[in-house]
Amino acid sequence: MSRSERLFDLLQALRRHRRPVSGKLLADEIGVSIRTLYRDIASLQAQGATIEGEPGVGYILKPGFLLPPLMFPPEEIEALVLGSRWVADRADGRLSDAARSALARIAAVLPSDLRDELDASALLIGPGVKIPADAFDPVLLRKAIRTERKLSLSYRDGAGAGSERVVWPFALAFFDQVRVLLGWCELRQDFRSFRTDRIADVQVLDTRYPKRRQALLKQWRDMQGISGGNA
């Protein structure tokens, strides 16, 4: 186990305990000697972790410490690489660039051993069917979702029939061949999905919709029978 992995495991162990926990118990949980544990606690404290306690009394991690990127274990590094490569290949231009930029930022702060693992990742994204281009800047949809603003859409269905909709957007779904906007449709008074390549025009309205997007997403998931981690 590398030192980075060991420090990560120690932080995770401390987070599992709401009350002070003895050094011996922590050392047993992560499989190190008590001497190594004391050194690792000192290292985390030097990096900004508020770990209170002392030998014979126990240790507790105070809330608020954000895990720095260098603490990612190898499996999480692989997940980040794979996810970033998928977004870079399948998302619109802004998100593609953001995925590459985020991965570069992470690589810049990783210790050399983990940076080598990132660079050498053998998890690849295979070529897919080209996603149809949108007739508008997809940033507008993401902005409306973040700010909980209504959207005015000019939409064409699968048969080519056009309609004007006012929609409460709460999510974007990315599939291999299409992107889909999920929202509450005022015209249909129900949840509807809209393929983004069939949206002829879109305008973000100044009006906020009356529900929180998290509540709409939960309601939609409940209606679809989808658990929180699957959509």
Side-chain angles (χ1 to χ4, degrees):
M1 180 188 298
S2 70
R3 180 173 178 273
S4 297
E5 291 178 274
R6 200 174 66 240
L7 293 178
F8 174 85
D9 288 346
L10 175 55
L11 270 178
Q12 295 299 86
L14 284 164
R15 284 198 170 101
R16 287 194 292 269
H17 295 280
R18 300 285 183 175
R19 299 184 180 185
V21 56
S22 72
K24 183 179 186 309
L25 181 57
L26 285 171
D28 290 343
E29 279 192 37
I30 61 178
V32 298
S33 69
I34 192 70
R35 179 178 296 180
T36 297
L37 177 83
Y38 292 152
R39 285 202 306 266
D40 289 348
I41 286 176
S43 295
L44 289 174
Q45 289 172 329
Q47 293 179 34
T50 308
I51 301 173
E52 297 183 352
E54 58 186 71
V57 175
Y59 297 91
I60 186 169
L61 175 67
K62 293 296 183 180
F65 179 64
L66 298 177
L67 199 62
L70 63 85
M71 298 303 300
F72 290 134
E75 290 78 12
E76 290 186 0
I77 292 292
E78 289 188 328
L80 286 168
V81 171
L82 185 63
S84 297
R85 286 175 176 171
W86 192 95
V87 173
D89 185 68
R90 300 285 196 271
D92 61 80
R94 293 275 191 94
L95 277 184
S96 293
D97 291 342
R100 296 185 184 96
S101 175
L103 200 57
R105 286 175 182 267
I106 292 171
V109 296
L110 285 173
S112 58
D113 58 334
L114 293 184
R115 191 181 306 119
D116 290 342
E117 294 214 19
L118 184 149
D119 292 337
S121 174
L123 303 182
L124 307 177
I125 299 296
V129 177
K130 185 175 178 60
I131 295 177
D134 296 325
F136 56 91
D137 188 346
V139 170
L140 293 175
L141 302 185
R142 297 198 292 274
K143 177 182 177 182
I145 291 170
R146 284 196 303 269
T147 59
E148 299 179 340
R149 293 297 194 277
K150 293 184 181 183
L151 286 174
S152 174
L153 303 182
S154 297
Y155 190 71
R156 300 183 307 272
D157 63 18
S163 62
E164 301 296 320
R165 312 288 186 102
V166 174
V167 174
W168 308 351
F170 58 85
L172 273 172
F174 290 77
F175 296 89
D176 282 339
Q177 299 182 27
V178 295
R179 290 184 285 267
V180 175
L181 174 70
L182 303 177
W184 174 268
C185 177
E186 291 187 356
L187 177 66
R188 303 302 184 195
Q189 286 295 294
D190 201 356
F191 290 107
R192 286 291 187 269
S193 59
F194 303 91
R195 281 181 46 161
T196 61
D197 60 305
R198 293 178 180 170
I199 298 175
D201 188 45
V202 59
Q203 292 183 7
V204 180
L205 304 180
D206 292 334
T207 310
R208 292 177 66 98
Y209 48 79
K211 290 187 177 182
R212 302 306 305 271
R213 70 173 185 269
Q214 294 92 338
L216 289 171
L217 180 57
K218 182 180 185 305
Q219 185 180 350
W220 176 81
R221 280 173 167 158
D222 290 343
M223 290 181 63
Q224 300 293 323
I226 299 173
S227 63
N230 293 331

